[in-house]
Each structure stands twice: as structure tokens, then as C-alpha cells.
Amino acid sequence: RKVREEITLTMAALLTRGARAFVPKVALRPAVARPQIRKMSGHDPVQAEADMNAWVKISIGMAGATALVTAWVVYLESNHEHHHSPDRSFKKIRNKPLPWVCSDCSSGFDLECWAKCKADMK
């Protein structure tokens, strides 16, 4: 240890300011044993647990608030009349008849048209 410290000090003393920029800083540090401690966010375990519990409570509260707002919006949306626009002529342009029995109806999503067509066929 002593020898390495002396070599490090000698190297630092011999290097000029410009040359020190190219030498890794690890080589210039003195060899001192430091404990390997990893501190998450810099506080002790008691404070970390208190912070965790606070965020758990905040998360539960916000989940409850989100559920209430969602229920309120669903209630508001389900209690008003839906205004259907009148049929527009540009939605039913037929250049040639469609290749099924009720050629004026779309492929199966226009149930009213299909029911009317089948009733007319009888």
C-alpha cells in the first residue's frame, strides 16, 4: 500500500497539467480501502419504508378517484339521448349492384336494411 501511494504521488508530481488530462483519474487516486455501500436515494431504510408507504397510500387514493370519475362519466354518458343524424345520400352510392341477394344493403352491418329487404322478398 505504501509503495503504491508513493508511486501515485510521484506520478502526479511528474505529470504536467496537460498530461494529467490523459491519465485516468483512477491511477492518480491514492489506494484507500473504501467500504462498498450502495445507498438508494441517500436515506436510511426507515425513511425509505415511510416513503414507500406514503406512495402506496397515494396510489390507492388515486385509483379510487379514477374509479369515481369513470363511474360519473359513464353515468352522464348513459343518461342522455343519442342524436342520430339523418341518412346522407353520399353514404349509399351504388355504381353497380352488390353480389348478394339484397344488393342494396351493405355486407351485413346494416341490419335494418337486411330486415326490410327480407320482408319485401316474402
Side-chain angles (χ1 to χ4, degrees), residues 16-30:
T16 62
R17 210 180 260 177
R20 284 185 194 175
F22 295 107
V23 175
K25 297 212 185 258
V26 176
L28 298 176
R29 280 192 215 143

Side-chain angles (χ1 to χ4, degrees), residues 4-112:
R4 184 170 181 209
E5 286 177 15
E6 288 176 12
I7 292 172
T8 303
L9 291 174
T10 307
M11 272 180 33
L14 292 176
L15 292 174
T16 62
R17 210 180 260 177
R20 284 185 194 175
F22 295 107
V23 175
K25 297 212 185 258
V26 176
L28 298 176
R29 280 192 215 143
V32 177
R34 294 187 183 127
Q36 297 293 322
I37 297 174
R38 185 176 180 194
K39 293 190 178 187
M40 301 295 215
S41 302
H43 43 50
D44 60 342
V46 176
Q47 181 65 36
E49 187 175 356
D51 289 347
M52 180 197 65
N53 290 332
W55 279 107
V56 166
K57 290 175 186 175
I58 290 169
S59 299
I60 290 171
M62 290 310 294
T66 303
L68 287 174
V69 169
T70 302
W72 181 53
V73 168
V74 167
Y75 171 75
L76 289 177
E77 288 295 320
S78 65
N79 283 337
H80 74 275
E81 278 187 37
H82 292 278
H83 303 287
H84 297 284
S85 62
D87 290 334
R88 296 179 183 97
S89 60
F90 65 84
K91 286 185 170 183
K92 212 170 196 181
I93 296 176
R94 302 283 187 257
N95 293 331
K96 61 182 183 178
L98 295 172
W100 41 80
V101 178
C102 295
S103 63
D104 196 32
C105 300
S106 63
S107 64
F109 300 110
D110 192 3
L111 298 178
E112 294 172 7

